[in-house]
Amino acid sequence: MLKKRIIVCLDVKDGRTTKGVKFLNNVDIGDPVEMAEEYYKQGVDELVFYDIMASARGRGPILDLISRVASKVFIPFCVGGGIGTIDDIRSTILAGAEKISLNSQAVKNPELIKEGARIFGNQCIVLGMDAARDEKMPSGYRVYINGGRVATELDALDWAKRAVDLGAGEIVLNSIDADGTKEGYEVNLTRLIAENVSVPVIASGGAGKTEHLTQILTEGKADAALIASMVHSGEYTVESIKSELNIDGIPVRL
C-alpha cells in the first residue's frame, strides 16, 4: 500500500515564516531556514515553501532563501509564489527545489503548466489551488488567487481537471474556509477533487489535531496532508503525528 505523506508548509513573508487564519492577520513565527531544518530532523516527508506576497507584489521567488532552505533538507522540497515564467521555474529548481507550485500565475497563464511539464516533467509541476465555498459555482467552490484576495470565475473542480490535462502532476488543494482554523480539513472539497483527477491530491487548510489527518486521508481520499499550525505551535511534532496515524492504521513512513 502506498504510504500517505505528511508535508509541512512554511508560508513566508518578507523572508520570515508567517501564519494567519483564512489568509488574514499574519504573525511572524520564525526563521524559515531553521524551521525547515527542524522539521526535516523530525521526519517530515516533504516541505512546501510559499512566498505568500510574491504574486500580489508582482515579483519573482527569493532564490537566496530557497537555496538556504534546500541546503538544510534532503527530502522533496516544493516552492511556490511569484513563479510566472519558464525562467522562474528553471532558476527555482536550480536553487534547490524539486517541485514548483503554480497558483495565481497558472490561472493568469495556463500555458505555463503545459510548458513547465513539457520541459521539466509532470512530477515537477504542482497546481496550488485556493478555493472557497460558493453556491453559485457548479461544484460549490470558487477558485481565488493572489493569496486568497481575488475571486476568479473558475470553478474548483473544472480548474483541477483542466490543470491535470495541461500537465500538472499533483494538486495542493487549500480550503480558504478552513485555513488556519485548526477545526479540520474541508473533507467534501478534497474528496470531490481527489475522486475526479488522476494525480495525487494534497489536502491543505484546517489541521488542528491528528484525527483531522486521519479523516482527510481516509474519508477525504487525500494522498497527503499538509500541516502548519499544528507543528508551528509546538503542540505536535511530525514524529508524534506519524505515531498516532500509525496507530489509526494509516500507512506512513515512520
Side-chain angles (χ1 to χ4, degrees), residues 42-87:
Q42 287 181 19
V44 74
D45 297 309
E46 296 187 20
L47 271 174
V48 174
F49 173 112
Y50 289 133
D51 185 330
I52 63 169
M53 295 304 294
S55 286
R57 290 176 177 167
R59 62 162 171 74
I62 310 171
L63 299 174
D64 169 59
L65 189 55
I66 293 163
S67 169
R68 283 164 52 217
V69 170
S71 72
K72 300 290 185 185
V73 302
F74 304 95
I75 49 174
F77 174 40
C78 179
V79 173
I83 299 171
T85 66
I86 291 298
D87 283 345

Side-chain angles (χ1 to χ4, degrees), residues 116-164:
R118 184 182 69 78
I119 296 168
F120 303 103
N122 302 63
Q123 79 289 345
C124 272
I125 305 300
V126 178
L127 176 74
M129 178 162 62
D130 297 317
R133 285 188 286 273
D134 188 332
E135 60 193 22
K136 296 191 188 80
M137 305 309 281
S139 70
Y141 297 90
R142 183 185 294 274
V143 175
Y144 285 72
I145 58 170
N146 288 7
R149 294 172 192 82
V150 178
T152 72
E153 290 307 310
L154 293 173
D155 176 76
L157 180 57
D158 286 347
W159 176 228
K161 288 176 170 177
R162 187 175 167 213
V164 171

Side-chain angles (χ1 to χ4, degrees), residues 2-237:
L2 275 177
K3 305 277 194 209
K4 299 288 190 178
R5 290 171 289 151
I6 306 305
I7 302 171
V8 169
C9 176
L10 300 173
D11 283 336
V12 177
K13 180 182 179 184
D14 302 323
R16 300 282 294 175
T17 308
T18 182
K19 194 73 196 98
V21 176
K22 299 187 181 182
F23 288 44
L24 299 169
N25 305 320
N26 286 72
V27 292
D28 183 317
I29 56 170
D31 178 275
V33 181
E34 290 171 9
M35 291 174 76
E37 187 172 19
E38 174 57 28
Y39 295 134
Y40 170 64
K41 287 175 181 170
Q42 287 181 19
V44 74
D45 297 309
E46 296 187 20
L47 271 174
V48 174
F49 173 112
Y50 289 133
D51 185 330
I52 63 169
M53 295 304 294
S55 286
R57 290 176 177 167
R59 62 162 171 74
I62 310 171
L63 299 174
D64 169 59
L65 189 55
I66 293 163
S67 169
R68 283 164 52 217
V69 170
S71 72
K72 300 290 185 185
V73 302
F74 304 95
I75 49 174
F77 174 40
C78 179
V79 173
I83 299 171
T85 66
I86 291 298
D87 283 345
D88 286 340
I89 296 175
R90 184 178 287 108
S91 57
T92 305
I93 290 171
L94 290 173
E98 277 84 14
K99 299 180 184 182
I100 303 301
S101 178
L102 301 175
N103 188 323
S104 304
Q105 301 298 335
V107 169
K108 294 168 187 174
N109 176 20
E111 283 297 305
L112 188 60
I113 299 174
K114 192 173 181 179
E115 273 298 280
R118 184 182 69 78
I119 296 168
F120 303 103
N122 302 63
Q123 79 289 345
C124 272
I125 305 300
V126 178
L127 176 74
M129 178 162 62
D130 297 317
R133 285 188 286 273
D134 188 332
E135 60 193 22
K136 296 191 188 80
M137 305 309 281
S139 70
Y141 297 90
R142 183 185 294 274
V143 175
Y144 285 72
I145 58 170
N146 288 7
R149 294 172 192 82
V150 178
T152 72
E153 290 307 310
L154 293 173
D155 176 76
L157 180 57
D158 286 347
W159 176 228
K161 288 176 170 177
R162 187 175 167 213
V164 171
D165 287 343
L166 285 165
E170 201 165 62
I171 295 172
V172 173
L173 176 60
N174 189 53
S175 163
I176 294 173
D177 301 301
D179 183 77
T181 62
K182 299 173 81 172
E183 289 169 4
Y185 294 93
E186 171 76 83
V187 176
N188 292 333
L189 170 63
T190 307
R191 185 172 52 231
L192 175 72
I193 303 296
E195 287 182 339
N196 284 285
V197 297
S198 57
V199 301
V201 172
I202 299 161
S204 169
K209 51 189 180 181
T210 308
E211 295 92 290
H212 294 151
L213 280 80
T214 298
Q215 183 185 33
I216 203 67
L217 294 169
T218 53
E219 290 174 43
K221 308 283 182 76
D223 296 272
L226 189 142
I227 55 175
S229 306
M230 277 179 81
V231 285
H232 295 341
S233 66
E235 196 177 341
Y236 290 86
T237 64

